[in-house]
Amino acid sequence: MPQKTHHYSNGEITIAWKPDVCIHSGICFKGLAEVFDPRRKPWIDMTQAETQQIIEQVKKCPSGALSFTADNS
Ligand code: SF4
């Protein structure tokens, strides 16, 4: 079955989030709550931190649900 993927961009990078892969570890929203807030819709707000901070947090996702690509590559 194809997995759903949601995309969030800040014009520099795009985060891909796969809800079916997410294990709700909370690591993203404990580490960078301004960007990752599960009570908000959309829950990822790319305007709330610098690109490098977002990248560092995405890399800590233990399940692989979060990934990113550069927008201008
Ligand atoms: S860190 Fe990854 S697995 Fe954990 S809640 Fe965030 S997206 Fe889901």
Side-chain angles (χ1 to χ4, degrees):
M1 209 164 74
Q3 286 172 340
K4 279 180 291 186
T5 306
H6 298 270
H7 294 97
Y8 309 86
S9 173
N10 66 359
E12 294 183 0
I13 58 166
T14 296
I15 288 185
W17 176 60
K18 294 186 168 75
D20 299 329
V21 177
C22 177
I23 57 172
H24 306 288
S25 65
I27 287 176
C28 55
F29 53 85
K30 284 176 196 147
L32 196 55
E34 298 85 353
V35 173
F36 301 96
D37 181 351
R39 292 165 303 181
R40 186 179 55 205
K41 273 189 179 285
W43 79 286
I44 295 179
D45 183 346
M46 298 288 283
T47 68
Q48 298 299 316
E50 297 298 320
T51 293
Q52 197 55 42
Q53 280 181 286
I54 297 172
I55 289 172
E56 291 306 317
Q57 193 60 53
V58 164
K59 286 179 178 172
K60 291 176 187 160
C61 174
S63 67
L66 290 173
S67 61
F68 71 93
T69 51
D71 283 355
N72 54 3
S73 64

